[in-house]
Amino acid sequence: MSDNVVRLFKDPQDASQAPAGPPVAAVAAPAVETPTVPLWARSARAIRMAVTHENTKTACRAVARHGLYVAGGTRIMVRRTWEGRTASRYERMLRAAEAAGNYEVAAEWEERGQRYRQARHQRRMDLLTAPLDAAKGVAAGAGMGAGVLLLLGIALAVANKNAADVATPVMAVVQLISWIVFIASVVWGPLVTIGPWAALIGLWAVGKHQQAAPQWALPVRDRATDGEPITPSIVVLALRNLGIAPLRTAIKDMGDAGASMLGPIRIAGCGVEVDVTLPSGVSTDEVQKRRRKLAENLSRHEHEVFITIPEAARTVRLWVADSGALDEPIGPSPLVTDETMTANYKTGRAPWGQDLRGDAASLSLYQRHLLITGLSNQGKTAALRALALWLALDRTVEFRIADLKGAGDWAMFLGLATVLIQGPTDDHVIQATEMLEGLVAEMERRLQAPPGTVFPPLVGIVDEAQVAFMCPLKDEEKRLYGGAKATSRYFMAARKIHNQGRAVNVTLWQGTQDPTDQNLPKLVREGAHTRASLALGTESQARMALGDKAVDGGAAPNLLRPGLDKGTVVVASDGIDIPAGQASITVRTHYIDTDQAAEITARAKAMRDGVTTLQVIERGEQRDPLADIATVIGEALRLLTQDVLKRLAALNEDAYGGWTHADLKRVLEGTGAEPYKSDGRMVVGRDRVARALANRDENDSASVNP
């Protein structure tokens, strides 16, 4: 029985154990047929694979490319011939000058065109008399030639004494003509055969030289590659292919193929810069909106091309980086490399980084409120801290800092700032709010001082300020700590400082992330004189961070690459040198790590007599004025009474915010620590206050244990 028969028993033993009965017929299993692929399907698959194979594509591109070279070369030669025989070149140059608004050059090209037409008309009029003039010339030439040949023959006959030599020159000319005819008859056939092919090869050569074929048909080595140098032809071609119809038409109609639109290409840092005057009918906004396409047309990534609007009308300024240059780190900060560096709040500039041209970018902080924002983990705190580190090298500057992240990024300011709050909780927000209200109180005290009084700089810094604006807590009077209402304590304190603080050297710096109208109110962000932004997500956020003017002028922090462009800020401020006509500048900031920051603050602390840092603001408790005075004096030998009052107010606004010199004198009177004059100014001595405390403690002990 065949193999495809299925038996009921597996082996003879099973068969022997089966019960007796009639034999059971074997059942045959159905045969399984292997499906066969039709011939036509296999043929179609083979054809499809052959057509889509890379070698086939390469061969097709090669055939198309060389055919298009001939077509392109023919088009180029026809156009050259037409331009050489007509005034079309002058017309195109005239239209290009008019489109560029250069009417003097347009008038010059119009005059050249008129001269060309007059000369062409004269040539055509000369053609009317050309046959007669040619006949006269031929007749005169023939007669002269015959006379010359006759004279030569006579001379030969006389010399050789043979009359037959008179015809020798004439016969020589006849033989020359015969040879010329013979050579022409031999060469004519091959020329007729080879001539068309030579012309075809010539057209192909012209097309190949001009790359007169679509990009897809060109071989890989001839296509645009990354890192290609920026030339006028590449810029014009990139603009022509932007997809702006009026721009493409205008470039096509220009006699110089668009070169008149371009200013000189200048080397600018790690890239080049060029001004482009757009033709009439094309707005700068249209070009700005196509930044990515323009970058790709220039064989660059989007972040390597910046488009700004200079002073000249209808002009865009393109800055194109060398390929990969922006991915290279910049050098260390001068604060790290120069240990002798000092700062001057009024006249100095903080070395913040480098602009895109590679020039040092420095920022003036004098009487300027500051706002810096960006997405999380983009280097906001490091950029803000770098400014504070430089300013700390001016010993006259006082810092009050609230770090509402609390990760230790500002811990090195312990012993340098008079107030240092570190933490993300609601309680820390309350303390930060009261710190700002202390700044407001100091500002109001200074505003009431006699005219001409000079005040030392007081800088309040709030990092992660969005935490304060979003705080939902209310105080005992039901006033919100956060929010943006007239009863919101943090918001109103910030607004008051923005309104009047700079007049008395009280400034506020804030760092926020991921700005919205809720976590960064409009009135607060518009109160900052210096506005900087790292990478953001949307254009609307960029407008919140920098303002409409800067964004309309080309500022685009939303186009920075999160994670890759860390530390790169777009700055809108009158405190930094911005090229004329631009509303902002892009700066790659120096990164100063925590250890380096600690070294810089150590130098800053060495410049001061000693600063006692208040890390927690106490509220609603009984105070010991004499002990608090000793606390605020710290390690200094003596401290001006004015500075003592200021530090007491920072220590506890509720207890000491309204203190005057009379209150200070009243507390110290009779303790032996009364204020006294030193170098003509009233001061409080550290040792005297310490003795007063010690004597008081001894008296208290004596009264308890007689």
Side-chain angles (χ1 to χ4, degrees), residues 500-540:
Q500 297 177 303
R502 64 179 300 273
V504 288
N505 283 341
V506 177
T507 55
L508 176 61
W509 299 0
Q510 297 182 94
T512 69
Q513 69 179 27
D514 201 12
T516 64
D517 283 328
Q518 289 72 38
N519 64 25
L520 186 59
K522 181 179 180 181
L523 292 177
V524 170
R525 61 181 184 251
E526 290 186 351
H529 304 98
T530 296
R531 300 168 72 173
S533 175
L534 295 102
L536 288 173
T538 63
E539 182 179 326
S540 62

mmCIF file of all heavy atoms in Angstrom, residues 500-540:
data_model
loop_
_atom_site.group_PDB
_atom_site.id
_atom_site.type_symbol
_atom_site.label_atom_id
_atom_site.label_comp_id
_atom_site.label_asym_id
_atom_site.label_seq_id
_atom_site.Cartn_x
_atom_site.Cartn_y
_atom_site.Cartn_z
ATOM 1 N N GLN A 500 10.301 101.395 39.134
ATOM 2 C CA GLN A 500 11.119 102.457 39.724
ATOM 3 C C GLN A 500 12.475 101.998 40.242
ATOM 4 O O GLN A 500 13.284 102.834 40.634
ATOM 5 C CB GLN A 500 10.350 103.112 40.889
ATOM 6 C CG GLN A 500 9.053 103.801 40.466
ATOM 7 C CD GLN A 500 8.293 104.357 41.646
ATOM 8 O OE1 GLN A 500 7.959 103.621 42.568
ATOM 9 N NE2 GLN A 500 8.032 105.656 41.631
ATOM 10 N N GLY A 501 12.748 100.710 40.228
ATOM 11 C CA GLY A 501 13.957 100.228 40.877
ATOM 12 C C GLY A 501 15.245 100.704 40.246
ATOM 13 O O GLY A 501 16.208 101.044 40.952
ATOM 14 N N ARG A 502 15.286 100.738 38.923
ATOM 15 C CA ARG A 502 16.558 101.069 38.264
ATOM 16 C C ARG A 502 17.051 102.469 38.624
ATOM 17 O O ARG A 502 18.260 102.741 38.584
ATOM 18 C CB ARG A 502 16.421 100.943 36.752
ATOM 19 C CG ARG A 502 15.427 101.922 36.124
ATOM 20 C CD ARG A 502 15.356 101.751 34.619
ATOM 21 N NE ARG A 502 16.632 101.992 34.003
ATOM 22 C CZ ARG A 502 17.058 103.206 33.631
ATOM 23 N NH1 ARG A 502 16.304 104.271 33.853
ATOM 24 N NH2 ARG A 502 18.237 103.343 33.057
ATOM 25 N N ALA A 503 16.138 103.372 38.980
ATOM 26 C CA ALA A 503 16.543 104.742 39.294
ATOM 27 C C ALA A 503 17.425 104.805 40.530
ATOM 28 O O ALA A 503 18.229 105.743 40.678
ATOM 29 C CB ALA A 503 15.308 105.618 39.471
ATOM 30 N N VAL A 504 17.290 103.810 41.405
ATOM 31 C CA VAL A 504 18.092 103.801 42.639
ATOM 32 C C VAL A 504 18.947 102.533 42.713
ATOM 33 O O VAL A 504 19.275 102.043 43.794
ATOM 34 C CB VAL A 504 17.183 103.915 43.873
ATOM 35 C CG1 VAL A 504 16.606 105.318 43.987
ATOM 36 C CG2 VAL A 504 16.058 102.886 43.827
ATOM 37 N N ASN A 505 19.302 101.993 41.561
ATOM 38 C CA ASN A 505 20.213 100.840 41.456
ATOM 39 C C ASN A 505 19.648 99.578 42.098
ATOM 40 O O ASN A 505 20.417 98.743 42.610
ATOM 41 C CB ASN A 505 21.582 101.161 42.068
ATOM 42 C CG ASN A 505 22.425 102.031 41.149
ATOM 43 O OD1 ASN A 505 22.166 102.105 39.954
ATOM 44 N ND2 ASN A 505 23.422 102.688 41.705
ATOM 45 N N VAL A 506 18.332 99.409 42.067
ATOM 46 C CA VAL A 506 17.706 98.163 42.511
ATOM 47 C C VAL A 506 17.167 97.470 41.257
ATOM 48 O O VAL A 506 16.271 98.006 40.588
ATOM 49 C CB VAL A 506 16.574 98.404 43.515
ATOM 50 C CG1 VAL A 506 15.904 97.082 43.899
ATOM 51 C CG2 VAL A 506 17.108 99.104 44.758
ATOM 52 N N THR A 507 17.718 96.321 40.935
ATOM 53 C CA THR A 507 17.318 95.623 39.713
ATOM 54 C C THR A 507 16.885 94.199 40.044
ATOM 55 O O THR A 507 17.288 93.626 41.051
ATOM 56 C CB THR A 507 18.471 95.592 38.689
ATOM 57 O OG1 THR A 507 19.635 95.027 39.303
ATOM 58 C CG2 THR A 507 18.785 96.985 38.181
ATOM 59 N N LEU A 508 16.085 93.647 39.127
ATOM 60 C CA LEU A 508 15.547 92.302 39.310
ATOM 61 C C LEU A 508 15.894 91.453 38.095
ATOM 62 O O LEU A 508 15.630 91.855 36.956
ATOM 63 C CB LEU A 508 14.021 92.358 39.490
ATOM 64 C CG LEU A 508 13.293 91.017 39.596
ATOM 65 C CD1 LEU A 508 13.775 90.230 40.811
ATOM 66 C CD2 LEU A 508 11.786 91.236 39.656
ATOM 67 N N TRP A 509 16.502 90.295 38.350
ATOM 68 C CA TRP A 509 16.794 89.316 37.301
ATOM 69 C C TRP A 509 15.910 88.094 37.543
ATOM 70 O O TRP A 509 15.843 87.583 38.670
ATOM 71 C CB TRP A 509 18.250 88.874 37.343
ATOM 72 C CG TRP A 509 19.253 89.973 37.133
ATOM 73 C CD1 TRP A 509 19.005 91.298 36.922
ATOM 74 C CD2 TRP A 509 20.678 89.832 37.137
ATOM 75 N NE1 TRP A 509 20.176 91.991 36.796
ATOM 76 C CE2 TRP A 509 21.232 91.105 36.917
ATOM 77 C CE3 TRP A 509 21.534 88.756 37.304
ATOM 78 C CZ2 TRP A 509 22.596 91.333 36.860
ATOM 79 C CZ3 TRP A 509 22.894 88.972 37.245
ATOM 80 C CH2 TRP A 509 23.417 90.246 37.014
ATOM 81 N N GLN A 510 15.271 87.619 36.510
ATOM 82 C CA GLN A 510 14.418 86.451 36.637
ATOM 83 C C GLN A 510 14.743 85.430 35.554
ATOM 84 O O GLN A 510 15.003 85.803 34.400
ATOM 85 C CB GLN A 510 12.936 86.843 36.529
ATOM 86 C CG GLN A 510 12.458 87.757 37.634
ATOM 87 C CD GLN A 510 10.983 88.073 37.515
ATOM 88 O OE1 GLN A 510 10.140 87.414 38.109
ATOM 89 N NE2 GLN A 510 10.661 89.091 36.734
ATOM 90 N N GLY A 511 14.736 84.174 35.933
ATOM 91 C CA GLY A 511 14.892 83.073 34.988
ATOM 92 C C GLY A 511 13.658 82.195 35.042
ATOM 93 O O GLY A 511 13.223 81.797 36.127
ATOM 94 N N THR A 512 13.069 81.922 33.889
ATOM 95 C CA THR A 512 11.870 81.083 33.837
ATOM 96 C C THR A 512 12.041 80.040 32.743
ATOM 97 O O THR A 512 12.934 80.142 31.900
ATOM 98 C CB THR A 512 10.608 81.907 33.548
ATOM 99 O OG1 THR A 512 10.667 82.400 32.198
ATOM 100 C CG2 THR A 512 10.485 83.075 34.499
ATOM 101 N N GLN A 513 11.151 79.064 32.725
ATOM 102 C CA GLN A 513 11.203 78.058 31.674
ATOM 103 C C GLN A 513 9.825 77.872 31.065
ATOM 104 O O GLN A 513 8.806 78.064 31.728
ATOM 105 C CB GLN A 513 11.731 76.729 32.205
ATOM 106 C CG GLN A 513 10.823 75.991 33.160
ATOM 107 C CD GLN A 513 11.407 74.666 33.614
ATOM 108 O OE1 GLN A 513 12.620 74.489 33.650
ATOM 109 N NE2 GLN A 513 10.560 73.735 33.972
ATOM 110 N N ASP A 514 9.833 77.518 29.777
ATOM 111 C CA ASP A 514 8.612 77.194 29.040
ATOM 112 C C ASP A 514 7.543 78.261 29.259
ATOM 113 O O ASP A 514 6.483 78.004 29.826
ATOM 114 C CB ASP A 514 8.098 75.827 29.487
ATOM 115 C CG ASP A 514 7.174 75.207 28.440
ATOM 116 O OD1 ASP A 514 7.122 75.726 27.312
ATOM 117 O OD2 ASP A 514 6.502 74.211 28.756
ATOM 118 N N PRO A 515 7.778 79.512 28.787
ATOM 119 C CA PRO A 515 6.902 80.628 29.171
ATOM 120 C C PRO A 515 5.492 80.514 28.597
ATOM 121 O O PRO A 515 5.282 80.080 27.464
ATOM 122 C CB PRO A 515 7.628 81.840 28.588
ATOM 123 C CG PRO A 515 8.409 81.293 27.435
ATOM 124 C CD PRO A 515 8.836 79.920 27.857
ATOM 125 N N THR A 516 4.526 80.904 29.409
ATOM 126 C CA THR A 516 3.131 81.062 28.999
ATOM 127 C C THR A 516 2.611 82.335 29.649
ATOM 128 O O THR A 516 3.279 82.948 30.487
ATOM 129 C CB THR A 516 2.264 79.861 29.432
ATOM 130 O OG1 THR A 516 2.232 79.811 30.876
ATOM 131 C CG2 THR A 516 2.823 78.551 28.907
ATOM 132 N N ASP A 517 1.392 82.736 29.295
ATOM 133 C CA ASP A 517 0.808 83.921 29.919
ATOM 134 C C ASP A 517 0.528 83.696 31.394
ATOM 135 O O ASP A 517 0.420 84.654 32.162
ATOM 136 C CB ASP A 517 -0.493 84.291 29.196
ATOM 137 C CG ASP A 517 -0.226 84.978 27.867
ATOM 138 O OD1 ASP A 517 0.790 85.686 27.768
ATOM 139 O OD2 ASP A 517 -1.017 84.792 26.927
ATOM 140 N N GLN A 518 0.408 82.423 31.802
ATOM 141 C CA GLN A 518 0.114 82.135 33.197
ATOM 142 C C GLN A 518 1.374 82.161 34.061
ATOM 143 O O GLN A 518 1.379 82.734 35.146
ATOM 144 C CB GLN A 518 -0.566 80.765 33.326
ATOM 145 C CG GLN A 518 -1.990 80.722 32.801
ATOM 146 C CD GLN A 518 -2.051 80.797 31.284
ATOM 147 O OE1 GLN A 518 -1.209 80.216 30.588
ATOM 148 N NE2 GLN A 518 -3.042 81.507 30.767
ATOM 149 N N ASN A 519 2.465 81.533 33.582
ATOM 150 C CA ASN A 519 3.664 81.481 34.424
ATOM 151 C C ASN A 519 4.659 82.602 34.137
ATOM 152 O O ASN A 519 5.699 82.686 34.771
ATOM 153 C CB ASN A 519 4.365 80.123 34.286
ATOM 154 C CG ASN A 519 4.888 79.857 32.889
ATOM 155 O OD1 ASN A 519 5.160 80.764 32.125
ATOM 156 N ND2 ASN A 519 5.036 78.587 32.552
ATOM 157 N N LEU A 520 4.320 83.495 33.188
ATOM 158 C CA LEU A 520 5.159 84.660 32.924
ATOM 159 C C LEU A 520 4.255 85.777 32.402
ATOM 160 O O LEU A 520 4.102 85.966 31.198
ATOM 161 C CB LEU A 520 6.253 84.335 31.903
ATOM 162 C CG LEU A 520 7.286 85.441 31.644
ATOM 163 C CD1 LEU A 520 7.999 85.821 32.935
ATOM 164 C CD2 LEU A 520 8.286 85.006 30.591
ATOM 165 N N PRO A 521 3.606 86.528 33.301
ATOM 166 C CA PRO A 521 2.647 87.553 32.879
ATOM 167 C C PRO A 521 3.275 88.597 31.960
ATOM 168 O O PRO A 521 4.469 88.896 32.035
ATOM 169 C CB PRO A 521 2.200 88.174 34.209
ATOM 170 C CG PRO A 521 2.466 87.125 35.229
ATOM 171 C CD PRO A 521 3.687 86.396 34.762
ATOM 172 N N LYS A 522 2.439 89.158 31.103
ATOM 173 C CA LYS A 522 2.900 90.105 30.095
ATOM 174 C C LYS A 522 3.572 91.324 30.711
ATOM 175 O O LYS A 522 4.633 91.765 30.259
ATOM 176 C CB LYS A 522 1.726 90.529 29.218
ATOM 177 C CG LYS A 522 2.102 91.509 28.119
ATOM 178 C CD LYS A 522 0.902 91.869 27.260
ATOM 179 C CE LYS A 522 1.310 92.848 26.161
ATOM 180 N NZ LYS A 522 0.148 93.224 25.315
ATOM 181 N N LEU A 523 2.983 91.899 31.744
ATOM 182 C CA LEU A 523 3.548 93.107 32.342
ATOM 183 C C LEU A 523 4.923 92.860 32.945
ATOM 184 O O LEU A 523 5.772 93.748 32.955
ATOM 185 C CB LEU A 523 2.594 93.642 33.415
ATOM 186 C CG LEU A 523 1.259 94.199 32.904
ATOM 187 C CD1 LEU A 523 0.387 94.634 34.065
ATOM 188 C CD2 LEU A 523 1.482 95.346 31.934
ATOM 189 N N VAL A 524 5.164 91.647 33.427
ATOM 190 C CA VAL A 524 6.464 91.329 34.015
ATOM 191 C C VAL A 524 7.507 91.142 32.919
ATOM 192 O O VAL A 524 8.619 91.677 33.006
ATOM 193 C CB VAL A 524 6.367 90.071 34.901
ATOM 194 C CG1 VAL A 524 7.749 89.599 35.326
ATOM 195 C CG2 VAL A 524 5.525 90.365 36.124
ATOM 196 N N ARG A 525 7.162 90.377 31.891
ATOM 197 C CA ARG A 525 8.171 90.130 30.853
ATOM 198 C C ARG A 525 8.487 91.390 30.048
ATOM 199 O O ARG A 525 9.608 91.566 29.572
ATOM 200 C CB ARG A 525 7.715 89.000 29.933
ATOM 201 C CG ARG A 525 6.429 89.222 29.172
ATOM 202 C CD ARG A 525 6.102 88.006 28.316
ATOM 203 N NE ARG A 525 4.941 88.189 27.486
ATOM 204 C CZ ARG A 525 3.768 87.592 27.658
ATOM 205 N NH1 ARG A 525 3.607 86.756 28.679
ATOM 206 N NH2 ARG A 525 2.753 87.804 26.836
ATOM 207 N N GLU A 526 7.520 92.296 29.926
ATOM 208 C CA GLU A 526 7.797 93.528 29.192
ATOM 209 C C GLU A 526 8.500 94.567 30.053
ATOM 210 O O GLU A 526 8.955 95.585 29.529
ATOM 211 C CB GLU A 526 6.489 94.097 28.638
ATOM 212 C CG GLU A 526 5.895 93.252 27.515
ATOM 213 C CD GLU A 526 4.683 93.896 26.890
ATOM 214 O OE1 GLU A 526 4.211 94.910 27.445
ATOM 215 O OE2 GLU A 526 4.214 93.388 25.852
ATOM 216 N N GLY A 527 8.610 94.309 31.354
ATOM 217 C CA GLY A 527 9.331 95.237 32.218
ATOM 218 C C GLY A 527 10.828 95.032 32.223
ATOM 219 O O GLY A 527 11.563 95.834 32.802
ATOM 220 N N ALA A 528 11.311 93.968 31.581
ATOM 221 C CA ALA A 528 12.749 93.680 31.560
ATOM 222 C C ALA A 528 13.422 94.455 30.432
ATOM 223 O O ALA A 528 12.920 94.492 29.298
ATOM 224 C CB ALA A 528 12.982 92.183 31.383
ATOM 225 N N HIS A 529 14.558 95.069 30.735
ATOM 226 C CA HIS A 529 15.315 95.784 29.704
ATOM 227 C C HIS A 529 16.123 94.830 28.829
ATOM 228 O O HIS A 529 16.318 95.093 27.647
ATOM 229 C CB HIS A 529 16.260 96.790 30.361
ATOM 230 C CG HIS A 529 15.578 97.767 31.255
ATOM 231 N ND1 HIS A 529 15.518 97.601 32.631
ATOM 232 C CD2 HIS A 529 14.886 98.909 31.000
ATOM 233 C CE1 HIS A 529 14.863 98.611 33.171
ATOM 234 N NE2 HIS A 529 14.460 99.412 32.209
ATOM 235 N N THR A 530 16.619 93.774 29.432
ATOM 236 C CA THR A 530 17.384 92.757 28.691
ATOM 237 C C THR A 530 16.569 91.475 28.695
ATOM 238 O O THR A 530 16.268 90.923 29.754
ATOM 239 C CB THR A 530 18.751 92.516 29.345
ATOM 240 O OG1 THR A 530 19.531 93.720 29.255
ATOM 241 C CG2 THR A 530 19.489 91.384 28.645
ATOM 242 N N ARG A 531 16.227 91.008 27.501
ATOM 243 C CA ARG A 531 15.429 89.790 27.375
ATOM 244 C C ARG A 531 16.217 88.795 26.530
ATOM 245 O O ARG A 531 16.661 89.121 25.420
ATOM 246 C CB ARG A 531 14.070 90.093 26.733
ATOM 247 C CG ARG A 531 13.264 91.076 27.558
ATOM 248 C CD ARG A 531 12.052 91.624 26.850
ATOM 249 N NE ARG A 531 10.995 90.635 26.714
ATOM 250 C CZ ARG A 531 9.772 90.922 26.249
ATOM 251 N NH1 ARG A 531 9.477 92.164 25.891
ATOM 252 N NH2 ARG A 531 8.861 89.977 26.153
ATOM 253 N N ALA A 532 16.390 87.607 27.071
ATOM 254 C CA ALA A 532 17.171 86.575 26.397
ATOM 255 C C ALA A 532 16.392 85.272 26.421
ATOM 256 O O ALA A 532 15.645 84.998 27.360
ATOM 257 C CB ALA A 532 18.534 86.387 27.069
ATOM 258 N N SER A 533 16.587 84.484 25.393
ATOM 259 C CA SER A 533 15.855 83.222 25.299
ATOM 260 C C SER A 533 16.750 82.138 24.745
ATOM 261 O O SER A 533 17.462 82.348 23.757
ATOM 262 C CB SER A 533 14.622 83.389 24.401
ATOM 263 O OG SER A 533 13.973 82.143 24.224
ATOM 264 N N LEU A 534 16.686 80.987 25.382
ATOM 265 C CA LEU A 534 17.305 79.787 24.827
ATOM 266 C C LEU A 534 16.273 79.102 23.935
ATOM 267 O O LEU A 534 15.310 79.725 23.504
ATOM 268 C CB LEU A 534 17.789 78.878 25.950
ATOM 269 C CG LEU A 534 18.922 79.466 26.808
ATOM 270 C CD1 LEU A 534 18.364 79.969 28.122
ATOM 271 C CD2 LEU A 534 20.026 78.468 27.058
ATOM 272 N N ALA A 535 16.494 77.822 23.633
ATOM 273 C CA ALA A 535 15.594 77.113 22.724
ATOM 274 C C ALA A 535 14.178 77.083 23.286
ATOM 275 O O ALA A 535 13.973 76.814 24.474
ATOM 276 C CB ALA A 535 16.104 75.689 22.498
ATOM 277 N N LEU A 536 13.210 77.378 22.410
ATOM 278 C CA LEU A 536 11.797 77.331 22.771
ATOM 279 C C LEU A 536 11.048 76.450 21.787
ATOM 280 O O LEU A 536 11.586 76.055 20.747
ATOM 281 C CB LEU A 536 11.200 78.744 22.779
ATOM 282 C CG LEU A 536 11.637 79.663 23.926
ATOM 283 C CD1 LEU A 536 11.110 81.065 23.713
ATOM 284 C CD2 LEU A 536 11.169 79.118 25.263
ATOM 285 N N GLY A 537 9.783 76.189 22.121
ATOM 286 C CA GLY A 537 9.021 75.257 21.298
ATOM 287 C C GLY A 537 8.275 75.884 20.153
ATOM 288 O O GLY A 537 8.177 75.299 19.071
ATOM 289 N N THR A 538 7.735 77.094 20.350
ATOM 290 C CA THR A 538 6.872 77.698 19.344
ATOM 291 C C THR A 538 7.234 79.164 19.137
ATOM 292 O O THR A 538 7.911 79.781 19.964
ATOM 293 C CB THR A 538 5.399 77.609 19.761
ATOM 294 O OG1 THR A 538 5.201 78.363 20.971
ATOM 295 C CG2 THR A 538 4.987 76.157 20.005
ATOM 296 N N GLU A 539 6.736 79.714 18.040
ATOM 297 C CA GLU A 539 6.967 81.131 17.759
ATOM 298 C C GLU A 539 6.230 82.013 18.763
ATOM 299 O O GLU A 539 6.719 83.087 19.130
ATOM 300 C CB GLU A 539 6.515 81.470 16.343
ATOM 301 C CG GLU A 539 6.761 82.927 15.963
ATOM 302 C CD GLU A 539 6.329 83.264 14.555
ATOM 303 O OE1 GLU A 539 6.448 82.374 13.674
ATOM 304 O OE2 GLU A 539 5.880 84.402 14.335
ATOM 305 N N SER A 540 5.050 81.574 19.220
ATOM 306 C CA SER A 540 4.318 82.367 20.210
ATOM 307 C C SER A 540 5.118 82.490 21.500
ATOM 308 O O SER A 540 5.125 83.552 22.141
ATOM 309 C CB SER A 540 2.956 81.729 20.480
ATOM 310 O OG SER A 540 3.100 80.427 21.032
#
